Amino acid sequence: MNTKNCKEELIEITISLINENKGEVEKVTIRDIAKKSGVSIGLINYHFGNKDNLITECVQKIISNVVSNFRPNMEIGKELPSFEAGKARLINAAQMVFDFFYSHPSISRISILNDYNNYTQESNSFSSLQGFSKIIGNAIENTLEKERISFALTCSMQVMFLKTFDDPVFLGYDFSKQPDRDRYISDLVNRIMNDTPHTRSSIGE
């Protein structure tokens, strides 16, 4: 087996172990990976440096697949004015993403921290930002303004998740409970979007 195939097989095997342990990566040991793959621990370290690097690569691939297969409901708010429809769609999509964080806390934390340390256009956080911009659609015409809203939303969600990873109660929300998570996202999107130049200019007209 060549080096590329070996690395890819190790990644796929590790992903299967992560899934078997319901995303709790701390339960996946390098001995488990070596046993299931039939290779030595030394060879795993040769390819990835250590288990943490291998886990991080696997997590990024898992999240990347989730992001690429995410299909928001673009029918939400069709009966509303364009701006309100965009806001309703964004709230719904962000609530789904935020719920994923808390349903898969270990892999979400690894992915977010990795993106913070190495933020590029290939990172999952950047893909999320682009996705949110598309969801806003023509509710806001200015592309840069949509990107600002999406960036503020993405960062706020990620920072709040990291802050409440071990202690879920903060700022009057209990993030261990989905209704409170949904309320936080709704409050957050309303604050961010209602403060856009689009809204301020329309109020003055």
PDB file of all heavy atoms in Angstrom, residues 2 7 12 27-28 38 59-61 66 72 82 84 86 96 102 108 135 144 148 165 168 173 185 190 200 204-205:
ATOM      1  N   ASN A   2       0.605   2.203  -0.929  1.00  0.00           N
ATOM      2  CA  ASN A   2       1.424   3.402  -0.952  1.00  0.00           C
ATOM      3  C   ASN A   2       1.041   4.353   0.169  1.00  0.00           C
ATOM      4  O   ASN A   2       0.020   4.171   0.847  1.00  0.00           O
ATOM      5  CB  ASN A   2       1.351   4.105  -2.328  1.00  0.00           C
ATOM      6  CG  ASN A   2      -0.054   4.579  -2.668  1.00  0.00           C
ATOM      7  OD1 ASN A   2      -0.781   5.064  -1.824  1.00  0.00           O
ATOM      8  ND2 ASN A   2      -0.423   4.452  -3.937  1.00  0.00           N
ATOM      9  N   LYS A   7      -2.624   6.583   4.315  1.00  0.00           N
ATOM     10  CA  LYS A   7      -3.150   7.724   5.078  1.00  0.00           C
ATOM     11  C   LYS A   7      -4.664   7.811   4.938  1.00  0.00           C
ATOM     12  O   LYS A   7      -5.380   8.025   5.920  1.00  0.00           O
ATOM     13  CB  LYS A   7      -2.497   9.025   4.608  1.00  0.00           C
ATOM     14  CG  LYS A   7      -1.046   9.181   5.022  1.00  0.00           C
ATOM     15  CD  LYS A   7      -0.513  10.566   4.691  1.00  0.00           C
ATOM     16  CE  LYS A   7      -1.141  11.632   5.555  1.00  0.00           C
ATOM     17  NZ  LYS A   7      -0.510  12.952   5.361  1.00  0.00           N
ATOM     18  N   GLU A  12     -10.185   7.015   7.149  1.00  0.00           N
ATOM     19  CA  GLU A  12     -11.511   6.409   7.075  1.00  0.00           C
ATOM     20  C   GLU A  12     -11.776   5.501   8.275  1.00  0.00           C
ATOM     21  O   GLU A  12     -12.878   5.492   8.833  1.00  0.00           O
ATOM     22  CB  GLU A  12     -11.652   5.613   5.771  1.00  0.00           C
ATOM     23  CG  GLU A  12     -11.675   6.470   4.517  1.00  0.00           C
ATOM     24  CD  GLU A  12     -12.763   7.520   4.543  1.00  0.00           C
ATOM     25  OE1 GLU A  12     -13.885   7.200   4.996  1.00  0.00           O
ATOM     26  OE2 GLU A  12     -12.504   8.664   4.125  1.00  0.00           O
ATOM     27  N   LYS A  27     -12.669   8.997  23.416  1.00  0.00           N
ATOM     28  CA  LYS A  27     -12.786   7.552  23.631  1.00  0.00           C
ATOM     29  C   LYS A  27     -12.034   6.745  22.566  1.00  0.00           C
ATOM     30  O   LYS A  27     -11.896   5.536  22.690  1.00  0.00           O
ATOM     31  CB  LYS A  27     -14.262   7.147  23.630  1.00  0.00           C
ATOM     32  CG  LYS A  27     -15.039   7.665  24.841  1.00  0.00           C
ATOM     33  CD  LYS A  27     -16.462   7.146  24.834  1.00  0.00           C
ATOM     34  CE  LYS A  27     -17.227   7.612  26.062  1.00  0.00           C
ATOM     35  NZ  LYS A  27     -18.629   7.115  26.067  1.00  0.00           N
ATOM     36  N   VAL A  28     -11.595   7.429  21.506  1.00  0.00           N
ATOM     37  CA  VAL A  28     -10.860   6.749  20.435  1.00  0.00           C
ATOM     38  C   VAL A  28      -9.371   6.787  20.778  1.00  0.00           C
ATOM     39  O   VAL A  28      -8.774   7.854  20.892  1.00  0.00           O
ATOM     40  CB  VAL A  28     -11.107   7.431  19.076  1.00  0.00           C
ATOM     41  CG1 VAL A  28     -10.296   6.739  17.978  1.00  0.00           C
ATOM     42  CG2 VAL A  28     -12.591   7.427  18.731  1.00  0.00           C
ATOM     43  N   GLY A  38      -4.766  -2.555  11.397  1.00  0.00           N
ATOM     44  CA  GLY A  38      -3.760  -3.577  11.193  1.00  0.00           C
ATOM     45  C   GLY A  38      -2.366  -3.036  10.946  1.00  0.00           C
ATOM     46  O   GLY A  38      -1.508  -3.731  10.402  1.00  0.00           O
ATOM     47  N   VAL A  59     -11.861  14.928  11.914  1.00  0.00           N
ATOM     48  CA  VAL A  59     -12.948  15.824  12.316  1.00  0.00           C
ATOM     49  C   VAL A  59     -13.229  16.843  11.223  1.00  0.00           C
ATOM     50  O   VAL A  59     -14.393  17.120  10.891  1.00  0.00           O
ATOM     51  CB  VAL A  59     -12.617  16.522  13.649  1.00  0.00           C
ATOM     52  CG1 VAL A  59     -13.545  17.704  13.889  1.00  0.00           C
ATOM     53  CG2 VAL A  59     -12.727  15.525  14.802  1.00  0.00           C
ATOM     54  N   GLN A  60     -12.172  17.420  10.647  1.00  0.00           N
ATOM     55  CA  GLN A  60     -12.364  18.401   9.587  1.00  0.00           C
ATOM     56  C   GLN A  60     -13.074  17.776   8.395  1.00  0.00           C
ATOM     57  O   GLN A  60     -13.913  18.423   7.754  1.00  0.00           O
ATOM     58  CB  GLN A  60     -11.019  18.991   9.161  1.00  0.00           C
ATOM     59  CG  GLN A  60     -10.369  19.874  10.225  1.00  0.00           C
ATOM     60  CD  GLN A  60     -11.244  21.044  10.645  1.00  0.00           C
ATOM     61  OE1 GLN A  60     -12.115  20.915  11.524  1.00  0.00           O
ATOM     62  NE2 GLN A  60     -11.044  22.184  10.021  1.00  0.00           N
ATOM     63  N   LYS A  61     -12.759  16.516   8.100  1.00  0.00           N
ATOM     64  CA  LYS A  61     -13.419  15.836   6.988  1.00  0.00           C
ATOM     65  C   LYS A  61     -14.882  15.555   7.309  1.00  0.00           C
ATOM     66  O   LYS A  61     -15.757  15.726   6.454  1.00  0.00           O
ATOM     67  CB  LYS A  61     -12.691  14.530   6.672  1.00  0.00           C
ATOM     68  CG  LYS A  61     -13.199  13.856   5.409  1.00  0.00           C
ATOM     69  CD  LYS A  61     -12.289  12.719   4.980  1.00  0.00           C
ATOM     70  CE  LYS A  61     -12.765  12.109   3.669  1.00  0.00           C
ATOM     71  NZ  LYS A  61     -11.868  11.027   3.191  1.00  0.00           N
ATOM     72  N   VAL A  66     -20.574  17.376   6.401  1.00  0.00           N
ATOM     73  CA  VAL A  66     -21.837  17.898   6.947  1.00  0.00           C
ATOM     74  C   VAL A  66     -22.181  19.230   6.292  1.00  0.00           C
ATOM     75  O   VAL A  66     -23.320  19.464   5.864  1.00  0.00           O
ATOM     76  CB  VAL A  66     -21.744  18.058   8.478  1.00  0.00           C
ATOM     77  CG1 VAL A  66     -22.969  18.812   9.011  1.00  0.00           C
ATOM     78  CG2 VAL A  66     -21.629  16.703   9.157  1.00  0.00           C
ATOM     79  N   PRO A  72     -30.526  24.030   3.737  1.00  0.00           N
ATOM     80  CA  PRO A  72     -31.487  24.839   4.492  1.00  0.00           C
ATOM     81  C   PRO A  72     -32.832  24.918   3.779  1.00  0.00           C
ATOM     82  O   PRO A  72     -32.908  24.715   2.558  1.00  0.00           O
ATOM     83  CB  PRO A  72     -30.814  26.215   4.538  1.00  0.00           C
ATOM     84  CG  PRO A  72     -29.952  26.246   3.308  1.00  0.00           C
ATOM     85  CD  PRO A  72     -29.457  24.835   3.128  1.00  0.00           C
ATOM     86  N   SER A  82     -39.062  40.766   1.648  1.00  0.00           N
ATOM     87  CA  SER A  82     -37.760  40.183   1.365  1.00  0.00           C
ATOM     88  C   SER A  82     -36.819  40.191   2.562  1.00  0.00           C
ATOM     89  O   SER A  82     -36.197  39.180   2.886  1.00  0.00           O
ATOM     90  CB  SER A  82     -37.112  40.921   0.189  1.00  0.00           C
ATOM     91  OG  SER A  82     -35.827  40.416  -0.067  1.00  0.00           O
ATOM     92  N   GLU A  84     -37.458  40.465   5.826  1.00  0.00           N
ATOM     93  CA  GLU A  84     -37.932  39.597   6.911  1.00  0.00           C
ATOM     94  C   GLU A  84     -37.823  38.124   6.523  1.00  0.00           C
ATOM     95  O   GLU A  84     -37.554  37.268   7.370  1.00  0.00           O
ATOM     96  CB  GLU A  84     -39.380  39.946   7.265  1.00  0.00           C
ATOM     97  CG  GLU A  84     -39.562  41.337   7.871  1.00  0.00           C
ATOM     98  CD  GLU A  84     -38.764  41.510   9.150  1.00  0.00           C
ATOM     99  OE1 GLU A  84     -38.669  40.536   9.931  1.00  0.00           O
ATOM    100  OE2 GLU A  84     -38.220  42.604   9.366  1.00  0.00           O
ATOM    101  N   GLY A  86     -35.500  36.835   4.544  1.00  0.00           N
ATOM    102  CA  GLY A  86     -34.083  36.494   4.686  1.00  0.00           C
ATOM    103  C   GLY A  86     -33.707  36.265   6.133  1.00  0.00           C
ATOM    104  O   GLY A  86     -32.947  35.345   6.452  1.00  0.00           O
ATOM    105  N   MET A  96     -30.195  25.339  13.236  1.00  0.00           N
ATOM    106  CA  MET A  96     -29.825  23.968  12.885  1.00  0.00           C
ATOM    107  C   MET A  96     -28.325  23.735  13.084  1.00  0.00           C
ATOM    108  O   MET A  96     -27.912  22.710  13.625  1.00  0.00           O
ATOM    109  CB  MET A  96     -30.222  23.681  11.439  1.00  0.00           C
ATOM    110  CG  MET A  96     -31.720  23.616  11.202  1.00  0.00           C
ATOM    111  SD  MET A  96     -32.162  23.493   9.445  1.00  0.00           S
ATOM    112  CE  MET A  96     -31.474  21.899   9.028  1.00  0.00           C
ATOM    113  N   TYR A 102     -24.013  21.383  19.619  1.00  0.00           N
ATOM    114  CA  TYR A 102     -24.286  20.810  20.940  1.00  0.00           C
ATOM    115  C   TYR A 102     -24.649  19.328  20.867  1.00  0.00           C
ATOM    116  O   TYR A 102     -24.525  18.619  21.868  1.00  0.00           O
ATOM    117  CB  TYR A 102     -25.387  21.610  21.642  1.00  0.00           C
ATOM    118  CG  TYR A 102     -24.904  22.961  22.108  1.00  0.00           C
ATOM    119  CD1 TYR A 102     -24.999  24.073  21.274  1.00  0.00           C
ATOM    120  CD2 TYR A 102     -24.313  23.129  23.354  1.00  0.00           C
ATOM    121  CE1 TYR A 102     -24.527  25.311  21.684  1.00  0.00           C
ATOM    122  CE2 TYR A 102     -23.835  24.369  23.765  1.00  0.00           C
ATOM    123  CZ  TYR A 102     -23.945  25.449  22.925  1.00  0.00           C
ATOM    124  OH  TYR A 102     -23.466  26.679  23.321  1.00  0.00           O
ATOM    125  N   SER A 108     -17.213  19.231  17.136  1.00  0.00           N
ATOM    126  CA  SER A 108     -17.437  20.650  16.826  1.00  0.00           C
ATOM    127  C   SER A 108     -16.356  21.515  17.456  1.00  0.00           C
ATOM    128  O   SER A 108     -15.837  22.449  16.827  1.00  0.00           O
ATOM    129  CB  SER A 108     -18.820  21.087  17.328  1.00  0.00           C
ATOM    130  OG  SER A 108     -19.848  20.400  16.648  1.00  0.00           O
ATOM    131  N   ILE A 135     -27.936  32.155   2.126  1.00  0.00           N
ATOM    132  CA  ILE A 135     -29.262  32.027   2.734  1.00  0.00           C
ATOM    133  C   ILE A 135     -29.941  33.387   2.858  1.00  0.00           C
ATOM    134  O   ILE A 135     -31.146  33.520   2.655  1.00  0.00           O
ATOM    135  CB  ILE A 135     -29.150  31.339   4.109  1.00  0.00           C
ATOM    136  CG1 ILE A 135     -28.804  29.860   3.909  1.00  0.00           C
ATOM    137  CG2 ILE A 135     -30.447  31.477   4.912  1.00  0.00           C
ATOM    138  CD1 ILE A 135     -28.338  29.159   5.158  1.00  0.00           C
ATOM    139  N   LEU A 144     -20.994  42.824   0.502  1.00  0.00           N
ATOM    140  CA  LEU A 144     -20.107  43.024   1.647  1.00  0.00           C
ATOM    141  C   LEU A 144     -20.906  43.047   2.948  1.00  0.00           C
ATOM    142  O   LEU A 144     -20.468  42.486   3.961  1.00  0.00           O
ATOM    143  CB  LEU A 144     -19.319  44.330   1.489  1.00  0.00           C
ATOM    144  CG  LEU A 144     -18.302  44.649   2.588  1.00  0.00           C
ATOM    145  CD1 LEU A 144     -17.269  43.534   2.708  1.00  0.00           C
ATOM    146  CD2 LEU A 144     -17.615  45.991   2.304  1.00  0.00           C
ATOM    147  N   ARG A 148     -20.520  40.591   6.194  1.00  0.00           N
ATOM    148  CA  ARG A 148     -20.324  41.096   7.559  1.00  0.00           C
ATOM    149  C   ARG A 148     -21.320  40.454   8.525  1.00  0.00           C
ATOM    150  O   ARG A 148     -20.965  40.063   9.642  1.00  0.00           O
ATOM    151  CB  ARG A 148     -20.467  42.617   7.581  1.00  0.00           C
ATOM    152  CG  ARG A 148     -19.295  43.359   6.950  1.00  0.00           C
ATOM    153  CD  ARG A 148     -19.609  44.834   6.784  1.00  0.00           C
ATOM    154  NE  ARG A 148     -18.459  45.574   6.269  1.00  0.00           N
ATOM    155  CZ  ARG A 148     -18.531  46.783   5.739  1.00  0.00           C
ATOM    156  NH1 ARG A 148     -19.721  47.386   5.638  1.00  0.00           N
ATOM    157  NH2 ARG A 148     -17.446  47.399   5.304  1.00  0.00           N
ATOM    158  N   PHE A 165     -19.179  25.238  26.558  1.00  0.00           N
ATOM    159  CA  PHE A 165     -18.853  23.825  26.311  1.00  0.00           C
ATOM    160  C   PHE A 165     -18.949  23.018  27.605  1.00  0.00           C
ATOM    161  O   PHE A 165     -19.502  21.918  27.625  1.00  0.00           O
ATOM    162  CB  PHE A 165     -17.446  23.720  25.722  1.00  0.00           C
ATOM    163  CG  PHE A 165     -17.029  22.317  25.356  1.00  0.00           C
ATOM    164  CD1 PHE A 165     -17.495  21.734  24.191  1.00  0.00           C
ATOM    165  CD2 PHE A 165     -16.179  21.583  26.171  1.00  0.00           C
ATOM    166  CE1 PHE A 165     -17.114  20.442  23.831  1.00  0.00           C
ATOM    167  CE2 PHE A 165     -15.785  20.295  25.830  1.00  0.00           C
ATOM    168  CZ  PHE A 165     -16.260  19.733  24.654  1.00  0.00           C
ATOM    169  N   PRO A 168     -22.974  25.356  30.672  1.00  0.00           N
ATOM    170  CA  PRO A 168     -23.946  25.765  29.651  1.00  0.00           C
ATOM    171  C   PRO A 168     -24.782  27.005  29.961  1.00  0.00           C
ATOM    172  O   PRO A 168     -25.435  27.528  29.055  1.00  0.00           O
ATOM    173  CB  PRO A 168     -24.852  24.538  29.524  1.00  0.00           C
ATOM    174  CG  PRO A 168     -24.792  23.895  30.865  1.00  0.00           C
ATOM    175  CD  PRO A 168     -23.389  24.113  31.349  1.00  0.00           C
ATOM    176  N   TYR A 173     -29.272  32.366  29.250  1.00  0.00           N
ATOM    177  CA  TYR A 173     -29.640  31.221  28.419  1.00  0.00           C
ATOM    178  C   TYR A 173     -29.046  29.946  29.028  1.00  0.00           C
ATOM    179  O   TYR A 173     -27.928  29.975  29.536  1.00  0.00           O
ATOM    180  CB  TYR A 173     -29.100  31.359  26.995  1.00  0.00           C
ATOM    181  CG  TYR A 173     -29.503  32.610  26.262  1.00  0.00           C
ATOM    182  CD1 TYR A 173     -28.672  33.729  26.261  1.00  0.00           C
ATOM    183  CD2 TYR A 173     -30.697  32.670  25.536  1.00  0.00           C
ATOM    184  CE1 TYR A 173     -29.011  34.871  25.572  1.00  0.00           C
ATOM    185  CE2 TYR A 173     -31.044  33.824  24.844  1.00  0.00           C
ATOM    186  CZ  TYR A 173     -30.200  34.921  24.864  1.00  0.00           C
ATOM    187  OH  TYR A 173     -30.537  36.066  24.180  1.00  0.00           O
ATOM    188  N   ILE A 185     -30.221  32.218  19.216  1.00  0.00           N
ATOM    189  CA  ILE A 185     -29.979  32.452  17.791  1.00  0.00           C
ATOM    190  C   ILE A 185     -30.972  33.477  17.240  1.00  0.00           C
ATOM    191  O   ILE A 185     -30.593  34.381  16.487  1.00  0.00           O
ATOM    192  CB  ILE A 185     -30.078  31.134  16.994  1.00  0.00           C
ATOM    193  CG1 ILE A 185     -28.934  30.190  17.384  1.00  0.00           C
ATOM    194  CG2 ILE A 185     -30.058  31.416  15.498  1.00  0.00           C
ATOM    195  CD1 ILE A 185     -27.549  30.722  17.079  1.00  0.00           C
ATOM    196  N   ASN A 190     -31.668  38.740  14.990  1.00  0.00           N
ATOM    197  CA  ASN A 190     -32.456  39.975  14.977  1.00  0.00           C
ATOM    198  C   ASN A 190     -31.595  41.189  15.300  1.00  0.00           C
ATOM    199  O   ASN A 190     -31.706  42.229  14.641  1.00  0.00           O
ATOM    200  CB  ASN A 190     -33.624  39.871  15.964  1.00  0.00           C
ATOM    201  CG  ASN A 190     -34.840  39.199  15.352  1.00  0.00           C
ATOM    202  OD1 ASN A 190     -35.453  39.730  14.436  1.00  0.00           O
ATOM    203  ND2 ASN A 190     -35.168  38.019  15.842  1.00  0.00           N
ATOM    204  N   ARG A 200     -31.384  50.606   8.778  1.00  0.00           N
ATOM    205  CA  ARG A 200     -31.308  51.997   9.236  1.00  0.00           C
ATOM    206  C   ARG A 200     -31.788  52.970   8.158  1.00  0.00           C
ATOM    207  O   ARG A 200     -32.508  53.909   8.428  1.00  0.00           O
ATOM    208  CB  ARG A 200     -29.877  52.327   9.649  1.00  0.00           C
ATOM    209  CG  ARG A 200     -29.404  51.588  10.894  1.00  0.00           C
ATOM    210  CD  ARG A 200     -28.184  52.266  11.500  1.00  0.00           C
ATOM    211  NE  ARG A 200     -27.053  52.227  10.619  1.00  0.00           N
ATOM    212  CZ  ARG A 200     -26.122  51.255  10.615  1.00  0.00           C
ATOM    213  NH1 ARG A 200     -26.249  50.235  11.430  1.00  0.00           N
ATOM    214  NH2 ARG A 200     -25.092  51.299   9.795  1.00  0.00           N
ATOM    215  N   GLY A 204     -35.389  55.602   7.890  1.00  0.00           N
ATOM    216  CA  GLY A 204     -35.372  57.044   7.644  1.00  0.00           C
ATOM    217  C   GLY A 204     -36.146  57.462   6.425  1.00  0.00           C
ATOM    218  O   GLY A 204     -36.340  58.656   6.175  1.00  0.00           O
ATOM    219  N   GLU A 205     -36.588  56.489   5.623  1.00  0.00           N
ATOM    220  CA  GLU A 205     -37.310  56.837   4.397  1.00  0.00           C
ATOM    221  C   GLU A 205     -38.779  57.112   4.659  1.00  0.00           C
ATOM    222  O   GLU A 205     -39.360  56.594   5.591  1.00  0.00           O
ATOM    223  CB  GLU A 205     -37.162  55.672   3.385  1.00  0.00           C
ATOM    224  CG  GLU A 205     -35.759  55.525   2.887  1.00  0.00           C
ATOM    225  CD  GLU A 205     -35.592  54.297   2.006  1.00  0.00           C
ATOM    226  OE1 GLU A 205     -36.578  53.544   1.898  1.00  0.00           O
ATOM    227  OE2 GLU A 205     -34.508  54.102   1.451  1.00  0.00           O
TER     228      GLU A 205
END
